[in-house]
């Protein structure tokens, strides 16, 4: 997350746009080519937010590119509007509406299925434009006669012309679009989009409404596409029908990959390479249609040797040089044995009201979970009191993980109810339950691997500070009240302050397990469920983590599933034993140690009577 010199990129971009008309002609760039580069670069900014920052690969952006352009061109060519900027705004709004409709459908699936749905929908838009709506869109002829912008103020007027005069107008549009995009990616929403790209499961588990944020990114990309489509009609004087074609979406994807995904400038760089080579291969070398073959070879080579594109390659080179010159970070002694204040001391929750409910924090009433003919849990009654540290044990296959997933609403029970603070949460969404104050750690680390430790904790803390969904697109993340204090307190609590700015990939396993706990703590939970927090640790790491668990239990209710009996019997006040999906026994550690049924289940695997 960029915190220093926030306006440096904007200033350098403005200088580059001002200098371009003076420098690019000497490099063989024609004015029309430069203007097209700006439009494709603006088109690609939205796609980069969708793909590079959110991880959603869409091949259907041509649908919104054509929709925005056709609506704006229709308004202008039929004298329904005379103001070009107003028509562009209406065209962008039409693309946004289309983006919402398509996004609601396409985002019901992920991965290749999402991509294929966007392809199909783009083809549907293409067919509708060419056939049923041909009377309004011009069909294969497009819409000619799109006027260029005219500005008037206090008796002064200016008509935008062609070539470099048009460049000035397009450069201003591109700069505004880039500034808005930079604000978005630097905002809390931008941070969450990056987290969704890295690990949508964990983003949802810490309390973010992943589906709504994906839809927001999809609509943002549609808005940029619609605006760029309108500018294409203004630039060419007519709106071409090929804006709807799949080739348009494919070219956008390739240009972004060439320039660098997740950089915002990648589409502009990729468009520059693409369009310059097109003109050079067609004009100077006279290759005609063969230019596509040569450009395809160039694309394959770039993607093969620069997997993150031209800008990504430069970033990697800079990061490699900086890493070699940077001294190694100091090893930090965890010092977890010291008393640590609960994280709640940094300030009250901004989104959860305190409850006066005095019963069990969480209660399972007759919970059963079956998968076809296999019963994983059968009629389990389970309750945990406020401030209690409850342990859950059982042989492998006893149903512990399934019970945990039902308690955190990762899967609904087949029958029975889950009650949290007196509220029935059966069947609720994971993010909604986390917002109520119930969260968990995972047996297998679920982190955001491409982020630093600090940024990992920021993602979790944002859910607590802002709620499940908030469109504060233009607010800088540093201005979220209480965020920095909460993040620093969480890192100190788990003994990772000195490692905060390291990437997660550089951590030792024990440190990753502590970060896993930190993500759950940053959500300020009233109930924390820990799934085998000691799994895979060395003796030293186990000792440190046990001390950490003793520290974080102050002022919290914890439920722990663990196979390390010595550690769990030392930590827990009460133990629940599961066997073959049923509740076998419950009591204090001493009572469980003396229980004959428990001994029989562990030593002989004999089912309880």
């Amino acid at each position: 997350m960029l915190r220093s010199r926030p306006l440096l990129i904007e200033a350098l971009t403005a200088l580059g746009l001002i200098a371009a008309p003076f420098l690019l002609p000497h490099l063989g760039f024609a004015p029309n080519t430069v203007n097209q580069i700006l439009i494709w670069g603006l088109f690609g900014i939205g796609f980069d937010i969708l793909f590079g920052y959110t991880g959603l690969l869409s091949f259907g952006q041509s649908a919104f590119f054509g929709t925005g352009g056709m609506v704006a061109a229709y308004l202008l060519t039929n004298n329904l509007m005379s103001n070009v900027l107003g028509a562009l705004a209406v065209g962008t709004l039409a693309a946004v509406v289309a983006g919402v409709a398509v996004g609601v459908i396409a985002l019901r699936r992920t991965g290749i299925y999402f991509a294929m749905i966007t392809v199909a929908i783009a083809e549907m838009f293409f067919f509708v434009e060419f056939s049923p709506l041909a009377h309004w869109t011009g069909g294969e002829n497009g819409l000619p006669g799109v006027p260029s912008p005219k500005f008037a103020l206090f008796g002064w007027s200016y008509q935008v012309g062609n070539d470099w005069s048009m460049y000035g107008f397009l450069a201003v549009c591109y700069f505004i679009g880039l500034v808005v995009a930079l604000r978005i990616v630097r905002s809390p929403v931008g941070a969450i989009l990056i987290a969704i790209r890295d690990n949508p499961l964990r983003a949802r588990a810490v309390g973010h409404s992943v589906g709504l944020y994906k839809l927001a990114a999809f609509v943002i990309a549609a808005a940029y596409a619609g605006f760029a489509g309108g500018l294409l009609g203004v630039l060419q004087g007519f709106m071409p029908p090929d804006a709807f074609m799949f080739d348009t979406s494919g070219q956008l994807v390739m240009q972004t990959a060439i320039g660098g995904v997740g950089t915002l400038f990648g589409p502009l760089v990729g468009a520059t390479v693409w369009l310059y080579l097109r003109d050079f291969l067609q004009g100077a070398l006279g290759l005609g249609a063969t230019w596509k073959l040569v450009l395809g070879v160039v694309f394959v080579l770039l993607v093969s040797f620069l997997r993150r594109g031209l800008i990504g390659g430069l970033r990697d080179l800079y990061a490699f040089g900086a890493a070699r010159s940077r001294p190694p970070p100091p090893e930090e002694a965890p010092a977890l044995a010291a008393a640590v204040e609960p994280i709640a001391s940094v300030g009250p929750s901004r989104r959860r009201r305190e409850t006066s409910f005095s019963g069990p924090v969480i209660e399972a009433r007759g919970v059963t979970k079956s998968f076809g003919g296999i019963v994983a849990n059968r009629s389990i009654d389970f309750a945990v009191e406020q401030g209690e540290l409850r342990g859950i044990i059982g042989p492998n296959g006893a149903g512990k993980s399934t019970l945990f997933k039902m308690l955190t609403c990762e899967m609904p029970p087949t029958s029975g109810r889950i009650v949290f603070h007196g509220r029935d949460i059966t069947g609720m969404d994971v993010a909604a339950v986390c917002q109520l104050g119930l969260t968990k750690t995972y047996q297998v680390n679920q982190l955001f691997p491409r982020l630093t430790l600090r940024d990992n904790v920021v993602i979790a803390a944002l859910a607590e500070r802002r709620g499940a969904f908030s469109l504060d697109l233009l607010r800088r993340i540093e201005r979220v009240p209480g965020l920095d204090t909460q993040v620093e307190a969480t890192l100190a609590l788990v003994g990772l302050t000195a490692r905060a700015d390291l990437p997660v990939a550089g951590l030792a396993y024990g440190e990753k397990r502590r970060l896993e706990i930190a993500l759950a703590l940053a959500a300020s939970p009233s109930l924390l469920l820990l799934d085998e927090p000691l799994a895979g640790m060395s003796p030293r790491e186990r000792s440190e983590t046990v001390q950490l668990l003793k520290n974080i239990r102050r002022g919290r209710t914890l439920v722990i599933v663990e196979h390390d009996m010595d550690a769990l019997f030392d930590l827990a006040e009460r133990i629940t034993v599961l066997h073959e999906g049923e509740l076998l026994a419950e009591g204090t550690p001493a009572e469980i140690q003396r229980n004959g049924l428990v001994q029989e289940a562990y030593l002989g695997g004999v089912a309880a009577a």
Side-chain angles (χ1 to χ4, degrees), residues 565-582:
M565 299 297 181
D566 292 335
L568 190 60
F569 277 63
D570 178 45
L571 287 167
E573 297 161 348
R574 289 183 64 81
I575 303 287
T576 297
V577 185
L578 298 182
H579 182 61
E580 295 186 354
E582 296 185 355

Side-chain angles (χ1 to χ4, degrees), residues 356-380:
S356 58
F357 182 74
S358 58
V361 174
I362 192 166
E363 187 175 5
R365 300 174 183 173
V367 169
T368 297
K369 183 63 181 180
S370 59
F371 301 93
I374 300 174
V375 179
N377 291 118
R378 180 182 290 107
S379 301
I380 293 180

Side-chain angles (χ1 to χ4, degrees), residues 141-433:
N141 297 318
L143 290 175
V146 179
S148 58
K150 181 179 181 180
F151 301 96
L153 183 65
F154 302 120
W156 172 85
S157 64
Y158 175 71
Q159 179 76 42
V160 175
N162 297 321
D163 298 337
W164 293 116
S165 174
M166 180 64 72
Y167 169 84
F169 171 69
L170 294 177
V172 171
C173 292
Y174 177 83
F175 182 74
I176 294 173
L178 179 69
V179 170
V180 172
L182 286 170
R183 293 295 296 270
I184 291 173
V185 300
R186 293 168 179 166
S187 73
V189 174
I192 295 165
L193 294 181
I194 293 173
I196 291 171
R197 176 199 67 192
D198 279 11
N199 193 336
L201 171 66
R202 188 56 162 177
R204 184 165 166 252
V206 297
H208 294 295
S209 182
V210 170
L212 289 177
Y213 280 113
K214 285 183 176 180
L215 180 60
F218 195 85
V219 173
I220 290 170
Y224 273 91
F227 186 58
L231 291 177
L232 179 66
V234 170
L235 170 65
Q236 298 185 160
F238 85 103
M239 189 62 205
D242 57 2
F244 282 97
M245 295 179 64
F246 177 75
D247 181 66
T248 300
S249 294
Q251 183 174 330
L252 176 69
V253 174
M254 294 177 72
Q255 288 177 1
T256 305
I258 290 172
V261 174
T263 62
L264 295 184
F265 289 94
L268 183 71
V269 173
T272 303
V273 173
W274 183 284
L275 296 176
Y276 178 79
L277 286 178
R278 182 199 65 184
D279 291 349
F280 177 75
L281 295 172
Q282 282 185 310
L285 300 184
L287 294 181
T290 313
W291 72 271
K292 292 186 178 181
L293 175 62
V294 178
L295 196 58
V297 173
V298 172
F299 173 76
V300 171
L301 292 175
L302 282 173
V303 172
S304 298
F305 295 99
L306 288 174
R307 296 183 62 185
R308 297 181 59 199
L310 295 172
I311 296 179
L314 293 175
R315 277 184 171 181
D316 291 341
L317 184 63
Y318 174 79
F320 177 74
R324 293 192 63 180
S325 61
R326 187 188 307 122
E331 291 291 334
E332 178 181 23
L336 296 175
V340 182
E341 290 297 320
I343 194 172
S345 64
V346 305
S349 170
R350 297 299 181 95
R351 56 174 171 76
R352 277 200 305 276
R353 293 176 297 178
E354 296 297 325
T355 177
S356 58
F357 182 74
S358 58
V361 174
I362 192 166
E363 187 175 5
R365 300 174 183 173
V367 169
T368 297
K369 183 63 181 180
S370 59
F371 301 93
I374 300 174
V375 179
N377 291 118
R378 180 182 290 107
S379 301
I380 293 180
D381 292 315
F382 172 82
V384 179
E385 300 297 328
Q386 179 72 39
E388 181 182 348
L389 197 160
R390 173 69 63 89
I392 300 178
I393 63 173
N396 289 330
K400 305 183 297 297
S401 295
T402 302
L403 176 61
F404 246 44
K405 289 180 179 180
M406 288 190 290
L407 293 177
T408 54
C409 293
E410 289 181 274
M411 63 170 61
T414 305
S415 62
R417 298 171 59 205
I418 307 292
V419 179
F420 178 64
H421 281 303
R423 176 176 179 174
D424 191 344
I425 62 171
T426 309
M428 285 184 65
D429 181 72
V430 171
V433 170

Side-chain angles (χ1 to χ4, degrees), residues 31 36 78 83 157 236 269 337 388 399 442 532 608:
Q36 290 184 54
N78 287 275
N83 187 291
S157 64
Q236 298 185 160
V269 173
E388 181 182 348
Y442 289 83
E532 297 192 28

Side-chain angles (χ1 to χ4, degrees), residues 536-583:
M537 290 188 174
S538 66
R540 177 187 171 185
E541 291 171 337
R542 284 175 181 251
S543 176
E544 292 171 351
T545 305
V546 167
Q547 185 58 56
L548 170 62
L549 296 176
K550 289 180 178 179
N551 288 341
I552 66 175
R553 69 161 301 180
R554 300 186 182 101
R556 298 181 182 86
T557 305
L558 273 64
V559 179
I560 303 176
V561 167
E562 184 54 61
H563 286 292
D564 188 332
M565 299 297 181
D566 292 335
L568 190 60
F569 277 63
D570 178 45
L571 287 167
E573 297 161 348
R574 289 183 64 81
I575 303 287
T576 297
V577 185
L578 298 182
H579 182 61
E580 295 186 354
E582 296 185 355
L583 184 64

